Amino acid sequence: MNRARFLILIALIAARPVSAATEIVVSIPDQTLALLEGDRVMARYRVSTSKFGNGDNVGSYRTPLGTLFVSGKFGDHLPVGTVIKNRAPTGEVVAIDAPSRDAIISRVIWLRGMERQNSAAHDRCIYIHGTPEERHIGKPVSFGCVRMRSRDVIALYDRVHIGMHVTISEKSIDALLPRERPTLLSRAD
């Protein structure tokens, strides 16, 4: 292969989007996160948001509402259960539902607020992250972050890109998801 073809091939590979996903939505009442690609739901995951409710005051341990965006990703290729502190792996690996462990594990997706109501989210280190306390997923038990099962956060992490919008809402997941559009193949009977 000549050099020109090689460079074109590299440019095409680099220009290809890693993920076609365009947005994440999180429903606080349903404790559910959905990954969207335009009008299509690509995946749904159970999550855990704050046990202290919703808000963005510093020191409140609440989950911020509104539109945020992914500002950083940490944990590429780490083993499942790797403890992450200050966005760096510690070298420790924690088992799922390990007793007395409430660590941030596996992957970190750091969020930054885009609105006045969530402007402190980045400084508060609000993340979407893995938790060893998987038995609590589906219940609000976090300290402000959006917690996920390790296998789920790893799958999400691989489809998320920097700049992707994340909407956290008090609406039901069904209210947040796009309505299914009828097609020529749809039947009304």
Side-chain angles (χ1 to χ4, degrees):
M1 179 182 306
N2 69 29
R3 182 172 167 74
R5 284 186 184 170
F6 177 75
L7 291 175
I8 290 171
L9 179 62
I10 295 299
L12 289 173
I13 290 170
R16 226 180 45 198
V18 174
S19 170
T22 56
E23 181 183 6
I24 294 170
V25 294
V26 178
S27 167
I28 300 278
D30 295 329
Q31 295 292 292
T32 301
L33 178 152
L35 179 66
L36 306 178
E37 178 187 321
D39 290 341
R40 291 183 38 219
V41 177
M42 303 304 293
R44 280 190 199 215
Y45 305 102
R46 300 290 287 155
V47 298
S48 175
T49 59
S50 177
K51 63 183 170 184
F52 300 103
N54 312 325
D56 196 41
N57 294 336
V58 174
S60 70
Y61 300 108
R62 295 172 182 251
T63 300
L65 296 172
T67 304
L68 304 95
F69 70 93
V70 175
S71 64
K73 294 173 55 176
F74 304 90
D76 288 354
H77 311 294
L78 291 177
V80 173
T82 298
V83 175
I84 300 170
K85 188 167 182 144
N86 298 321
R87 296 167 302 281
T90 65
E92 179 184 10
V93 176
V94 176
I96 293 171
D97 289 326
S100 302
R101 287 311 308 259
D102 188 17
I104 293 171
I105 63 168
S106 300
R107 302 290 185 275
V108 167
I109 301 167
W110 199 358
L111 304 179
R112 182 181 293 271
M114 297 177 67
E115 303 168 331
R116 173 176 274 169
Q117 69 175 334
N118 55 36
S119 61
H122 192 263
D123 291 342
R124 292 179 54 216
C125 296
I126 297 298
Y127 306 141
I128 299 171
H129 66 81
T131 179
E133 294 190 328
E134 293 190 1
R135 66 191 174 280
H136 296 304
I137 293 296
K139 296 175 267 188
V141 298
S142 85
F143 290 90
C145 292
V146 177
R147 295 181 181 182
M148 299 180 73
R149 291 179 178 91
S150 283
R151 71 174 183 267
D152 293 344
V153 78
I154 290 168
L156 179 68
Y157 183 94
D158 291 340
R159 299 171 87 175
V160 166
H161 58 82
I162 303 296
M164 179 181 279
H165 285 197
V166 177
T167 301
I168 303 175
S169 176
E170 292 179 307
K171 294 180 181 178
S172 72
I173 195 69
D174 290 334
L176 293 170
L177 298 179
R179 300 279 180 241
E180 187 175 327
R181 294 183 184 172
T183 68
L184 293 176
L185 301 176
S186 298
R187 293 183 56 154
D189 55 348

